[in-house]
Amino acid sequence: MRKARWRDSFATLTGGNTLPDIPAQGDARNRIIGDDDAGFVARSRQGDTEAFAVLVRRHQKKMFNMACRMIGDYDEACDIVQESFISAYRAIGNFRGDSRFSTWLGGIVLNQARNHLRQKNARSGNEEISLDQPAGVSEKALLNTIRSGGESIIECLEKKELSAKIQVCINALDGEQREVLVLRDIQEYSYEEIGDMLKLPEGTVKSRLFRARNALKEGLLKIFGDLR
Amino acid sequence: MNNCKDINNLLPAYSDDALSPSEKERVEEHLAVCSRCRRDAADLSKALSLLHNLEEVEPPPFFEQRIMATIREESRKKQSIWRRIFFPLHIKIPIQALASVFIAVFAFLVYQKSGPEIKQMMPLPAPVTGSVKERSAPEISRRPSVPAAAAQDGKAPSAASQVPNCGQFAPAPAAGEGKQDNLTAFPAPLREDHPAATALKDNGIAAEAGKFNAKGEAETISGPTVLSSPQSRKSKAAVPGAVRESRDMTAASPSLPAAEAVPVKRPGLALTIQVLEINQGLQDVEACLYRFNARILERRHRGEAIFLKVQIDGRRIAAFVRQLEDIGAVRTNVDRLEFPAGNAAVDMRIDRLP
């Protein structure tokens, strides 16, 4: 232990990096295999901000998408994710490693999003979200999205419009249904992980998810008329 | 019972392959015959496909940097709280150093408060420079000049040879009253003052030495090896070494520590008891001391002579001396044995009658 600390101090002094190789930025989903965050989590617990920076780099996109889909607002999602990472850094000493770090982090984002929505609803007097309301995600997301090769602007715009309509349908869902739908069908967490995050048994998660899927389908049918 | 609403509710689970075999079979049988439910199943499949193919939203540029900037700021604040505790003055002295200084000051204050008692109980040898300083007090003029006396006896070389010892030790300050320190009958540190005094006089440097000679006081007792008379002091027996010593000591006296400069309030007394037999005399003296509740603070042997430093009630000194006169011939360094109440330190020398 002492030797490891000495090595770390030496590395800091000499500017060397004893951390594992940091993968290049890319698709967050493809980077996280198993819980290879454990080493960085352990370093972060000792106050190593560079190790925590690696965790931020790995999970920021996934957490941002989760927040975006749950809140339906790009700027608010930014704030929520930033707050979530700060909360995670403060509370990382309490992370016992019972679950994957991404699951624990997802739970923090989920709670932040819930609190935000609760405050927002309290301010707006519980206004119901209408399917006619435009989604706040896609306008800015459009600006920040790099078009994939060979995709025309028209195709890109059509995709964004479709994405915005789907987001409207998601926003129109009941809060509990929206959570499970986003976590399972967009973020692709396992039922077990969703159960951990929501503190619910798997059966409840599934039944809630199936109702959410039906509700989403009804919403999409209302917007598009025909999905085929 | 296979109405479309029930089947519609089961379709999401069916698409997720989460139904029991019996329910699955029921759904499949219904879908085979109900076109509306088949369309619902296709819509659901399409909806899920849209959801799965939903494009990821890109976070804003420098999102990670923005998050990390906040976190690093947070981390710095956390560190600065600890820094504020351990480096409160924003200087490179940690709180541990301040604590050490505080402990040192506290220990000094405690020592200062309990200092006199400690000194009384444990008289430690003090540098002879203390006695040199005392020599500048007016009372010192009454002290005899040992080297001069020694010179008269033809022992100047021996007096000079004792000079190196003078820099070592003298009696403790509590017992180190001026008269005591310079009692000629006592060991080397006590005798070393005298070459200096003589030398001062001879060189005409110090006023004290002048007073010393002018008064010509020789009432203090003289030890067996010492004769004290103004004439002897005036003799030219002061060896050059002694003169040098006196100059050194005179020069050293201004830089004495303040603790040593504290004037001794209690009068001191030096006694010489000459007995026929040393051991018997010592026993008698100890018995006498016991009767007077006196404490022996220090005991030294030099040759046949025994030196005692005792602590006794000042009011009982006269009676004590009278008792001693029954043991042997007693000589004192004072004329009147009147001392105030309280503990007084007395230097005693027990020696064989010549």
Side-chain angles (χ1 to χ4, degrees), chain A residues 50-127:
Chain A
E50 292 313 307
F52 196 77
V54 176
L55 295 173
V56 171
R57 197 171 307 149
R58 280 185 176 186
H59 297 284
Q60 56 160 336
K61 194 170 179 180
K62 186 178 173 94
M63 296 303 137
F64 181 72
N65 273 272
M66 188 200 288
C68 266
R69 295 303 173 196
M70 285 192 186
I71 300 294
D73 187 280
Y74 191 88
D75 292 329
E76 289 171 8
C78 285
D79 294 341
I80 282 166
V81 173
Q82 187 162 334
E83 282 301 312
S84 300
F85 273 114
I86 292 165
S87 298
Y89 181 74
R90 285 175 188 156
I92 201 160
N94 302 330
F95 175 56
R96 293 168 297 177
D98 296 340
S99 58
R100 291 199 307 170
F101 175 74
S102 60
T103 308
W104 181 71
L105 188 62
I108 293 173
V109 175
L110 186 70
N111 279 330
Q112 290 278 352
R114 275 177 179 176
N115 292 336
H116 179 81
L117 284 173
R118 202 176 295 134
Q119 288 170 4
K120 197 176 174 182
N121 289 341
R123 278 199 300 270
S124 63
N126 290 320
E127 282 176 21

